[in-house]
Amino acid sequence: MSSPADRYAAARAAADSPETAAFAARQAFDLDPFQLAGCHALERGRSVLVAAPTGAGKTIVGEFAIHLAMRTPNEKAFYTTPMKALSNQKFRELTEVYGADQVGLLTGDTNINGNARIVVMTTEVLRNMLYADSAALTDLRYVVMDEVHYLADRFRGPVWEEVILHLPSSVRLVSLSATVSNAEEFGDWLDTVRGDTEVIVSEIRPVPLEQHVLVRDDLLPLFDDRAGIATAQVNQELLRIRSFTGSRYESNRQAQGYVSNRHAGRQAQRPPRGGRRPVRAANARRIERMDRPEVVALLERSNLLPAIFFIFSRIGCDAAVQQVSRSGLRLTTAEERAEIRAIVEERTRALQDEDLGVLGFWEWRENLERGVAAHHAGLLPAFKEIVEELFRLKLVKVVFATETLALGINMPARTVVLEKMEKFNGEARVAITSGEYTQLTGRAGRRGIDVEGHAVVQWTEGMDPQAVAALASRRTYPLNSSFRPTYNMAVNLVDRFGRARAREILESSFAQFQADRAVVGLARQVREAESSLEGYLTAMQCEHGDFADYAAIRRELSDLEKKNRQDAHGPRSVREKRIKKIESLRRRMQRHGCNTCPDREKHARWGERYFKLKRETDRKRRQIETRTGTVARIFDRVLEVLAALDYVTGAGDELALTDAGRTMRRIYGERDLLVAESLRQGLWKGLDAPALAAMACCLVYEPRRDEANTGERGLPRGAFRAAYEKTTALWAQLDDLEQDHHLPGTEPLAAGLAGAMHAWARGGMLDRVLVDADMAAGDFVRWAKQTIDLLDQLSIVADDAEIARTARRALEGVRRGIVAYSGV
């Protein structure tokens, strides 16, 4: 029972924040202090940055912003996510709360009720809306940016900063981030560029996390419980195990009174204190690892399911499912199996039987009915959605997943298992970082279901328990900007703001903030001053003449008279020259039309304010010029390339877009310049729809590092080859130009998927296309959707009507079968 003081404090908080109190009362659980703090800040009209561990429930603050928007008849709220899967998931959740007529979804390839008052979208969609000055932005009050730490992503991160910088100042921003070690720095930047932002940081997990190491069939605590995790004191037993292995390990365990999980079905007891540390035998053998089915069975006996096994390889995930299947292990009841089959059949009804056969559907469904599944990027998106749903419904008990599952998808488990503490990063095997460890193990522990979550690290030869403990106890996940100006960004900024203002906006980026925090504050002050200067100019307008000119004469005259008084005993020749100048200014002022204005002194007061602020603003501009200016300098180089290619014309702040530049505004992607220049030079004229689809694929496809270069083998024949050669030659010319201007350039075109995409757009069968592509269905669908996105852009921006029509036909040719399927 709460004390009178607690009840009084709660009543006072409810009175001060009635909307928060009403919202909290409708939740299934009591809101945590950090959630209440975020809601209170929003109710006070502030923006918020909430940084909290995975699974802590930070999205509740974003949902409260939507609740606030829906109180009024017209206000809107946008909920942005970094991934389509996350957008789809949030769309379903919000639809259940507010109804299908109030919630929309925009993810590039899905457009549902886009004019709704609540719209869930990927961040790129919002960026494009801002540059297009979309009518959908009218009455926008709140924008929730989920997983905002994605702005550190090398390829997609800049979009987050573009959105933050361009959102109208009237929009309240709700930024939701994983726990990062520099949240305060990021919050300071948000407060600087958006104003009035409250930073709320919580490192408390709502469900405590127990850390274990699985040695053979023993689940041993990673930390000594008597010391606690705060001291990061490693369990001494693990340190002893590291010093010996094999039969000596087994005999030592038995001698000291250990009981195996295999026999006891429970966690082994600790050894008695003060036991003598054994010496490793010369003939000691490795500690054998349990097979995956045995680990799953152990977790089931220990009541530690559902579990996610993180395996840093797709092949490993699929192999793990097969191992469990071959073992005969079944984790579901007959009723659960019937429910799984019903859900699977309902969700896959739109897929053709011949495609299901190619996708290995029946084996996949059988494994689901066992309660086991894989989850990785190679899996068909529809299949991934089903796995996620079944796991949330507690029907699938074990998922073998790559680390991509840790990035925001709502799939909490009771236990997370890490088989290895290293992964392949594309070039070499590297140890996972503390940030990655935190993200992965953050999935353990379901709020409202589990008293505690469990992280299990499987023992491997050479493992250092101290190193694992350091990962588990350290919270170092810095958020660093990846912002860089692109050609598309440059033309949009110049078109909307002009060159000078565009540079000031870029100087307000988080990248610049981290390079030189002072520049951001100065740039914001300059922007605010410019608005005031325009107001002062309006206030001192005079129907008798140009009062700004008149005020400048008065200002110069006043300064000279003051200087003359101060320099009464200076050189005579200097004073005489100054007096002549004063007399000349007096004559100019007396002849000026504004001198006879009856409101002259009223205008003059505004003029004094104008010149005082202008002098201060010019001083700040000079300060900015002497600072690092890293981002703005790159912007200048981008503009130089655009000027050399005639996408912009003019100089200084008179810079303007040409027709080609206006086309560039609506081309988004890594190869925006190459696409725009190819269209302008007509390199793709004469291509039919399948060939244009193959060309678009070459522009978006990124081959694996180990993928062989097949040259022209497998390329579509006919007009495509000539167009491909011309486009490749153009890429080389643009790359040289970028190198000349000290810009990094882009990778060459990648034709590895061109033949398969050509066949698919031509109506080819799925089985043959996947063989030609030499890739999993999920990967093919991902590249096909990126190809569709570029084709859609071409159909809109191409000046040549025939290319626009061909792009639309190509788009329809690619968007069919498994590519067209959406589980939403």
Side-chain angles (χ1 to χ4, degrees), residues 144-178:
V144 181
M145 301 193 77
D146 203 355
E147 309 287 338
V148 75
H149 51 275
Y150 252 82
L151 68 76
D153 184 80
R154 178 184 160 205
F155 296 106
R156 300 177 58 208
V159 176
W160 271 255
E161 291 192 48
E162 288 180 83
V163 168
I164 291 168
L165 291 169
H166 295 317
L167 274 174
S169 58
S170 59
V171 174
R172 297 292 88 190
L173 190 63
V174 183
S175 305
L176 307 177
S177 171

Side-chain angles (χ1 to χ4, degrees), residues 15-328:
D16 292 343
S17 306
E19 287 296 334
T20 299
F23 177 77
R26 293 203 298 271
Q27 304 308 308
F29 48 82
D30 292 338
L31 297 191
D32 290 335
F34 84 91
Q35 294 170 323
L36 288 170
C39 294
H40 289 157
L42 285 171
E43 191 166 356
R44 291 195 301 270
R46 307 191 71 192
S47 294
V48 292
L49 164 64
V50 180
T54 300
K58 51 187 173 287
T59 56
I60 202 78
V61 181
E63 291 164 10
F64 179 67
I66 294 171
H67 164 80
L68 290 177
M70 296 302 284
R71 291 179 312 164
T72 64
N74 300 316
E75 286 186 353
K76 294 180 181 178
F78 288 172
Y79 197 108
T80 73
T81 76
M83 296 182 292
K84 293 177 183 178
L86 270 177
S87 294
N88 294 342
Q89 189 177 92
K90 204 66 195 178
F91 169 72
R92 287 190 291 266
E93 292 173 3
L94 292 172
T95 299
E96 290 175 5
V97 176
Y98 293 100
D101 60 325
Q102 297 290 347
V103 186
L105 176 67
L106 299 173
T107 61
D109 57 355
T110 303
N111 186 334
I112 301 173
N113 200 16
N115 292 317
R117 292 181 58 198
I118 305 167
V119 185
V120 183
M121 61 186 69
T122 52
T123 319
E124 283 85 353
V125 170
L126 179 53
R127 185 270 312 274
N128 299 353
M129 291 171 74
L130 288 166
Y131 278 150
D133 200 18
S134 170
L137 298 169
T138 304
D139 295 322
L140 179 61
R141 177 60 176 162
Y142 297 96
V143 167
V144 181
M145 301 193 77
D146 203 355
E147 309 287 338
V148 75
H149 51 275
Y150 252 82
L151 68 76
D153 184 80
R154 178 184 160 205
F155 296 106
R156 300 177 58 208
V159 176
W160 271 255
E161 291 192 48
E162 288 180 83
V163 168
I164 291 168
L165 291 169
H166 295 317
L167 274 174
S169 58
S170 59
V171 174
R172 297 292 88 190
L173 190 63
V174 183
S175 305
L176 307 177
S177 171
T179 305
V180 293
S181 51
N182 61 334
E184 289 77 10
E185 179 188 36
F186 183 51
D188 287 347
W189 173 69
L190 287 172
D191 190 64
T192 302
V193 298
R194 303 280 321 157
D196 206 14
T197 299
E198 188 160 328
V199 180
I200 298 161
V201 179
S202 174
E203 295 192 12
I204 300 173
R205 285 177 49 95
V207 180
L209 183 65
E210 293 291 321
Q211 310 270 353
H212 311 274
V213 178
L214 178 59
V215 185
R216 277 194 178 167
D217 54 359
D218 287 329
L219 275 174
L220 304 178
L222 174 60
F223 293 100
D224 188 333
D225 289 348
R226 293 163 298 184
I229 192 171
T231 64
Q233 175 138 0
V234 181
N235 185 349
Q236 293 300 304
E237 178 187 352
L238 292 173
L239 298 178
R240 281 193 290 271
I241 291 170
R242 192 182 182 219
S243 68
F244 54 87
T245 54
S247 57
R248 286 295 299 267
Y249 163 66
E250 181 66 33
S251 61
N252 222 322
R253 287 165 68 247
Q254 293 173 356
Q256 296 190 37
Y258 288 95
V259 181
S260 170
N261 267 310
R262 185 177 296 149
H263 304 296
R266 60 185 177 85
Q267 185 172 315
Q269 302 299 311
R270 291 189 189 85
R273 297 181 66 180
R276 184 179 175 184
R277 179 172 177 171
V279 179
R280 178 171 178 162
N283 62 348
R285 299 190 304 273
R286 301 177 54 175
I287 295 177
E288 294 180 1
R289 288 163 58 93
M290 294 179 74
D291 290 338
R292 284 168 180 145
E294 293 179 314
V295 177
V296 172
L298 168 62
L299 296 179
E300 184 184 29
R301 290 196 305 271
S302 304
N303 195 28
L304 293 179
L305 296 183
I308 298 172
F309 285 66
F310 281 110
I311 301 173
F312 302 117
S313 137
R314 299 179 186 183
I315 295 174
C317 291
D318 293 333
V321 172
Q322 295 304 315
Q323 288 170 6
V324 174
S325 176
R326 285 195 301 269
S327 74

